[in-house]
Amino acid sequence: MKNERLFAALSALDAEFNKDALDWLISMYDAESGGMYYAASSRDNDEFRPDIESTTQTLSLLQNLGLITTNENGIATDVPEWFAEGVRKFLKVRQDEGDGYFYDPVYRDISPKSKKERNTNFAVDALKTLGTTPLYPTATQRLSDTVNEDDGDQAMYATKESYLEWLDKNAEERGDSYHWGSDLSCARPMIIASGNLGTTVEWLKKRQNTQNGTWEDEFNMTAVNGVLKIRGYFNKNTEVYPHYDVYIRNTVEFTKTFEPEFAAYVWNPIGSVKRIVEALPTAPEPELARLIDDSAADMIANTVVQMRGFRQPDGGFGYSRKGSSPRSNRVTVSLGLSEGDVNALALMALVYVDAYALCKLQNSRVWANYRDYFWEQMKKKYDAVHI
């Protein structure tokens, strides 16, 4: 009975990734630039352009949903060269030779630190998937051993004291652990390169609420969202996530009844538990492992119910139940209409891949049967511009 319920939940999850969603994604492709638009209102209004985040997230979700296969080195083996070369060029021309960050031209002068770091992290990973590297050293690679307090975005790394001061100040200004945790997540390569990984881990351990395993007073959606951003600092190369058993027990119960407001919140419970478990040096103790196993069907089933509330009339998923998000990383990316957006679809793809992984099952590569159709439709758009 337990297996029947689990497979029914996974089957329902598969069904959310239908051909309508695939056709919606195809409609976001800009063959002229090689990039992807964030949403229909971004595509249809001249104030917007294809952007780095949507382009790199598309590459990631194509892997997660079975349209792209990668080898043991993480390099895609079955992406048509015309598409791969278009994405490579799209990303490479957006790297600034002066500082090494990747910028969307339309947001060049207003991108906050977290946006620059997020774009750069995504772009580097995408270029690696496509078998190449950035044109210039990234900001992380350029980080000097002698940073001073006049070095702009890198000033906080000048000393341990200045870094701790930034951690405290940023947490106070950003408010909850989701927002300051997101900043830490974006900055992680820079934090590691500057030698502040251990300092960050210790700072996080001191601030954690040991009663619920999060960085909030109450166990709620904000707390779970924060953990998803923060948990990457605890892994097999650093330390075990502190009080992981408390957090997992709370999350298992929370996920059975939660009603997320945004698409990221749909993924965060299952995503955080899956990533905490996979980062443990050994399997969780038998009682906790049984709890996860016994609860997986209910967790996934309710997550699927919540996913459906984000489906939009155009076939995509919206970042909110009302439609696309008008802002991402503090810059305007769409008109926020009743429409899908690439970020939301990428998040739902993470729900899919992580749900199967949490159950220790090989995922169904749900879009694999559409592979020929997808590339044929994309090639038609490419040929219409390039031939």
Side-chain angles (χ1 to χ4, degrees):
M1 180 64 72
K2 181 180 73 174
N3 285 343
E4 289 179 4
R5 289 173 50 247
L6 177 60
F7 291 131
L10 290 172
S11 178
L13 179 60
D14 287 0
E16 290 304 303
F17 300 96
N18 54 29
K19 185 172 175 292
D20 288 345
L22 184 68
D23 286 333
W24 175 86
L25 182 64
I26 292 168
S27 75
M28 294 300 108
Y29 179 49
D30 179 60
E32 185 171 358
S33 69
M36 302 290 292
Y37 284 100
Y38 177 80
S41 65
S42 312
R43 180 195 63 205
D44 299 339
N45 288 275
D46 290 341
E47 63 191 277
F48 303 108
R49 296 289 185 275
D51 63 83
I52 293 169
E53 184 166 327
S54 299
T55 303
T56 56
Q57 286 187 326
T58 293
L59 196 65
S60 177
L61 72 87
L62 292 179
Q63 295 176 65
N64 286 333
L65 297 178
L67 281 173
I68 291 177
T69 304
T70 56
N71 62 21
E72 64 276 8
N73 297 316
I75 298 174
T77 57
D78 52 1
V79 176
E81 181 57 26
W82 56 265
F83 178 78
E85 185 57 23
V87 175
R88 293 186 197 110
K89 289 180 178 178
F90 178 88
L91 294 175
K92 287 187 176 185
V93 299
R94 283 161 172 74
Q95 187 184 21
D96 187 278
E97 183 177 3
D99 62 22
Y101 287 114
F102 286 73
Y103 296 90
D104 292 302
V106 70
Y107 309 129
R108 177 68 173 80
D109 296 329
I110 60 173
S111 292
K113 178 175 178 290
S114 60
K115 178 70 171 174
K116 295 190 293 186
E117 290 171 335
R118 182 177 170 91
N119 274 355
T120 302
N121 297 341
F122 281 1
V124 170
D125 287 346
L127 288 172
K128 178 183 177 181
T129 298
L130 296 176
T132 188
T133 57
L135 289 174
Y136 315 110
T138 65
T140 300
Q141 292 169 323
R142 300 176 193 210
L143 191 63
S144 170
D145 291 335
T146 55
V147 179
N148 63 61
E149 58 187 22
D150 298 321
D151 286 338
D153 287 339
Q154 300 181 13
M156 75 282 290
Y157 304 123
T159 65
K160 181 177 179 179
E161 290 71 26
S162 64
Y163 178 65
L164 285 169
E165 181 180 352
W166 175 79
L167 286 174
D168 290 336
K169 181 179 179 181
N170 193 57
E172 180 179 355
E173 291 178 348
R174 296 285 275 151
D176 61 56
S177 59
Y178 175 64
H179 288 97
W180 60 255
S182 180
D183 289 345
L184 285 184
S185 178
C186 292
R188 190 161 170 257
M190 293 289 284
I191 289 169
I192 293 172
S194 68
N196 283 293
L197 178 58
T199 299
T200 308
V201 169
E202 291 304 314
W203 182 85
L204 288 168
K205 286 164 60 179
K206 290 177 181 178
R207 292 181 68 99
Q208 189 189 39
N209 182 341
T210 61
Q211 299 303 305
N212 63 27
T214 77
W215 281 263
E216 299 292 335
D217 293 336
E218 302 294 330
F219 193 95
N220 51 26
M221 197 75 250
T222 298
V224 175
N225 296 340
V227 169
L228 192 283
K229 297 296 185 181
I230 294 165
R231 52 83 209 165
Y233 282 93
F234 300 96
N235 53 59
K236 294 176 182 178
N237 296 318
T238 56
E239 297 185 21
V240 170
Y241 183 97
H243 309 286
Y244 68 86
D245 55 335
V246 176
Y247 175 74
I248 290 174
R249 292 178 192 281
N250 279 321
T251 307
V252 164
E253 291 305 311
F254 178 76
T255 309
K256 293 177 183 177
T257 58
F258 78 136
E259 296 182 0
E261 183 180 2
F262 299 111
Y265 303 0
V266 179
W267 169 55
N268 289 350
I270 284 178
S272 61
V273 171
K274 179 257 185 182
R275 282 161 170 70
I276 288 171
V277 169
E278 73 180 2
L280 297 175
T282 60
E285 56 270 25
E287 183 183 353
L288 187 61
R290 281 194 299 272
L291 174 65
I292 297 171
D293 185 45
D294 292 343
S295 303
D298 289 337
M299 293 171 67
I300 295 168
N302 190 45
T303 298
V304 172
V305 170
Q306 300 308 318
M307 286 175 65
R308 291 170 182 157
F310 292 83
R311 181 78 68 178
Q312 300 300 314
D314 62 4
F317 289 99
Y319 189 76
S320 78
R321 294 176 185 270
K322 295 180 180 180
S324 66
S325 172
R327 292 176 66 78
S328 175
N329 282 102
R330 292 175 267 179
V331 299
T332 302
V333 292
S334 80
L335 297 183
L337 305 181
S338 179
E339 60 185 359
D341 64 66
V342 171
N343 187 24
L345 179 56
L347 288 162
M348 299 309 181
L350 286 170
V351 172
Y352 165 79
V353 73
D354 283 354
Y356 273 91
L358 189 64
C359 302
K360 300 182 179 64
L361 295 172
Q362 176 65 47
N363 73 58
S364 57
R365 293 180 60 82
V366 67
W367 273 359
N369 289 337
Y370 292 122
R371 187 179 189 283
D372 290 343
Y373 171 80
F374 175 77
W375 291 120
E376 286 169 4
Q377 297 303 308
M378 295 286 276
K379 187 64 160 58
K380 285 180 182 178
K381 299 190 73 172
Y382 178 87
D383 288 346
V385 173
H386 293 278
I387 296 178

